[in-house]
Amino acid sequence: MTLASALLAPVLGAGLAIPIEWVIGLGLALFSVGILGVACRRNILIMLLSVEIMLNAANVVLVGFSRMHSEISGQVFVFFSMTVAAAEVAVGLAILIAVYRLRRSIDADDTTQLREIDYGPLPPIKLEGEPSHHAHDDHDDAAEPVGAAGGA
Amino acid sequence: MTTALFVIFGATALASALLAVTRKNPVASAMWLVMMFFGLAGGYVVLEAYFVAAVQVLVYAGAIMVLFLFVIMLLDLRSEHLMEEEAPRMPILGVAAAVLFLAVSGIALLNAVDDGMFPDAAARATLELDGSARAIGESLFGTWLLAFEVTSVLLLGAIFGAVILTKRRLT
């Protein structure tokens, strides 16, 4: 008997009185709070915190099912989940710091470099062996013989 | 008695999580998250998963939260423009996603309860599970040894990723 169980034995009594479905319900509720945080907040830091909440919800469910089946593997999986959470936080916060250095902001709406890049006014695209003004002329004045000859 | 304790710890964790995602100040959010971690650790103790509870406090409330607070300090969040946050484009969609998930999974859970998939009080009284460090260690370094070793590679990758991302000068 471990020290913790020895200390808590008079409080807890024998066996497990907690209904497993309550444990699962707590996990589901926590997960939905995490979804709320990820979906409704624009602060990347808070979004990472919400992901932590969701990982914890998964841990709660793992511990609950571990109790239900009297199988210790569920609690071992909690450790793997914690390892993944630690790795995710380390890399996520590193990305956050890189984004902050770049944009001076941790708002998710400001980090759209992969979606839309502001190059300023676009330079004209020059194809190899083709004068840059050619395509322009072709559309503006198609009847001009010089432009038609150049296109051929 | 145990059920009452679990309800108290669970309600604490749930309320703290809700407060954590709704606070404007990230430091307040982090502090409420610490509260949630402690609430869950209490729940694990009531569930007789003692070692998991200890590691929850050490790793989550200790290491991960320190990492968060460290980054919050690095970012100098007292400056005004970091505190002000635009409202989401369509907040109703986020709330709808959360409520929909809760409804669907809740219905599934209630169905499972109706089908008798969970043990009743008499069956639960016979459950025996040793949540001590010895039992978990024997399983971790026996059955799950390969997964444990692969975890070390994952951590190594995370270390490399974090160092490369923060060290390189991005322009």
Side-chain angles (χ1 to χ4, degrees):
Chain A
M1 180 176 265
T2 59
L3 179 65
S5 59
L7 285 175
L8 287 163
V11 184
L12 294 178
L16 181 74
I18 304 157
I20 303 294
E21 54 266 32
W22 292 22
V23 183
I24 314 298
L26 173 65
L28 295 179
L30 275 178
F31 196 90
S32 104
V33 171
I35 291 178
L36 192 72
V38 170
C40 283
R41 297 296 299 263
R42 298 267 62 86
N43 188 328
I44 300 176
L45 206 60
I46 310 283
M47 290 165 90
L48 274 174
L49 286 177
S50 305
V51 173
E52 288 304 305
I53 293 176
M54 290 200 270
L55 283 163
N56 267 280
N59 287 353
V60 170
V61 174
L62 277 172
V63 170
F65 280 128
S66 157
R67 289 298 317 183
M68 177 172 149
H69 295 291
S70 293
E71 169 65 55
I72 198 76
S73 294
Q75 297 186 16
V76 175
F77 279 15
V78 170
F79 289 93
F80 293 136
S81 161
M82 281 180 182
T83 314
V84 172
E88 174 253 331
V89 163
V91 175
L93 289 176
I95 292 174
L96 177 71
I97 289 181
V99 165
Y100 178 74
R101 277 187 186 162
L102 205 59
R103 312 283 295 197
R104 291 286 144 192
S105 162
I106 54 168
D107 194 306
D109 280 345
D110 289 340
T111 54
T112 52
Q113 285 102 327
L114 285 179
R115 193 180 71 200
E116 47 191 32
I117 305 176
D118 185 17
Y119 286 119
L122 287 175
I125 297 167
K126 289 180 188 173
L127 297 178
E128 202 177 347
E130 192 178 7
S132 62
H133 63 273
H134 165 66
H136 207 66
D137 288 348
D138 214 17
H139 282 290
D140 277 354
D141 195 358
E144 193 177 357
V146 179
Chain B
M1 180 66 192
T2 50
T3 311
L5 270 178
F6 181 78
V7 168
I8 291 170
F9 282 130
T12 309
L14 199 55
S16 308
L18 260 176
L19 283 165
V21 299
T22 49
R23 291 306 93 187
K24 203 169 176 61
N25 188 340
V27 179
S29 280
M31 286 301 135
W32 279 115
L33 205 69
V34 172
M35 190 70 197
M36 190 204 81
F37 289 150
F38 276 109
L40 284 186
Y44 292 150
V45 169
V46 181
L47 283 167
E48 299 179 13
Y50 305 114
F51 193 57
V52 172
V55 173
Q56 169 91 3
V57 172
L58 283 177
V59 174
Y60 268 118
I64 291 182
M65 284 324 296
V66 166
L67 204 58
F68 265 105
L69 289 173
F70 204 75
V71 168
I72 290 172
M73 286 193 296
L74 276 179
L75 293 182
D76 184 24
L77 285 162
R78 268 178 303 181
S79 59
E80 284 298 314
H81 70 288
L82 283 183
M83 283 284 285
E84 63 190 35
E85 181 180 345
E86 277 181 45
R89 301 268 165 78
M90 282 175 281
I92 191 72
L93 283 185
V95 177
V99 170
L100 201 65
F101 172 82
L102 195 58
V104 170
S105 57
I107 289 168
L109 181 66
L110 290 178
N111 276 342
V113 172
D114 280 345
D115 292 347
M117 288 175 71
F118 294 106
D120 56 5
R124 283 200 305 274
T126 65
L127 290 179
E128 282 285 333
L129 184 60
D130 182 16
S132 66
R134 171 192 291 272
I136 286 175
E138 278 169 0
S139 181
L140 184 61
F141 298 113
T143 316
W144 304 107
L145 184 60
L146 180 64
F148 177 78
E149 297 292 344
V150 172
T151 299
S152 66
V153 180
L154 172 76
L155 283 176
L156 192 67
I159 292 169
F160 281 147
V163 169
I164 288 171
L165 275 169
T166 47
K167 240 181 129 64
R168 199 172 53 191
R169 183 57 58 184
L170 294 169
T171 50

